[in-house]
Amino acid sequence: MENMGQSARHIVSRVMAAALAASVCLTLSVSCRKGNIEPPTMPDEIDNVLLIYMAGKANGLARDMRKNIEDFCDGYVPEGFSRNILLTYEELTGSTGPTRSYLVRIYRHNGKTVRDTVVTYPVTSIGASRETLEDVLNETRRRFPGKGYGLLI
């Protein structure tokens, strides 16, 4: 009889421990929602803007260019509220046909690298053309008026 009482107490304590663990997990999952993270605000003034301009098609370079951008971002990415802005123009595809290209702002926020698309260019844009380069540079200056600019092509 005495063993039955200890066994019942053991079962009750295990059920209570499981209930406590479940309530802790539920509380943590509700309080750590990703959607509650506010995006960073743009700084009032911009010091420097670095634009990495990459255009590669089915010539085998697109994959290498994408890797170059990833490697660069492993070394330096400004915080979202920083007065320094990092942008990439990307027309990187394995296709020889028309493709969209993008102007992307890259920054760190809450310990993660964020890629925000600033402009999506139509498939009629050709990254290797003077007109597209001029459009991208003008859009960069318009959206990110800085004291200084850098360009990597």
Side-chain angles (χ1 to χ4, degrees):
M1 226 28 180
E2 197 173 307
N3 283 343
M4 279 183 62
Q6 287 177 344
S7 184
R9 277 189 293 240
H10 181 71
I11 290 171
V12 169
S13 67
R14 291 187 101 187
V15 167
M16 289 185 68
L20 178 62
S23 73
V24 167
C25 287
L26 181 61
T27 301
L28 288 175
S29 69
V30 169
S31 66
C32 295
R33 290 180 190 243
K34 293 179 183 177
N36 293 340
I37 297 173
E38 291 289 323
T41 57
M42 282 292 292
D44 292 334
E45 291 183 2
I46 297 172
D47 288 336
N48 299 296
V49 178
L50 174 60
L51 172 62
I52 302 173
Y53 193 95
M54 298 265 187
K57 292 268 188 177
N59 57 9
L61 294 178
R63 183 178 61 243
D64 293 336
M65 289 179 184
R66 186 166 306 286
K67 177 77 170 107
N68 287 343
I69 292 170
E70 290 170 9
D71 289 346
F72 186 89
C73 290
D74 284 343
Y76 172 73
V77 173
E79 291 294 327
F81 53 82
S82 172
R83 292 168 58 136
N84 296 313
I85 304 294
L86 175 61
L87 300 171
T88 60
Y89 168 80
E90 302 174 12
E91 183 184 39
L92 305 174
T93 181
S95 168
T96 57
T99 186
R100 292 197 181 281
S101 53
Y102 306 92
L103 181 63
V104 178
R105 179 177 177 218
I106 302 173
Y107 59 90
R108 288 207 195 284
H109 186 60
N110 289 333
K112 296 189 186 268
T113 300
V114 178
R115 296 175 51 88
D116 278 341
T117 300
V118 177
V119 179
T120 301
Y121 292 93
V123 296
T124 55
S125 294
I126 299 169
S129 73
R130 178 189 60 80
E131 294 83 12
T132 300
L133 176 58
E134 189 175 300
D135 287 347
V136 171
L137 293 176
N138 288 334
E139 192 67 29
T140 296
R141 282 188 296 246
R142 187 180 74 73
R143 290 183 184 248
F144 303 97
K147 296 175 185 172
Y149 294 88
L151 175 63
L152 291 175
I153 296 180

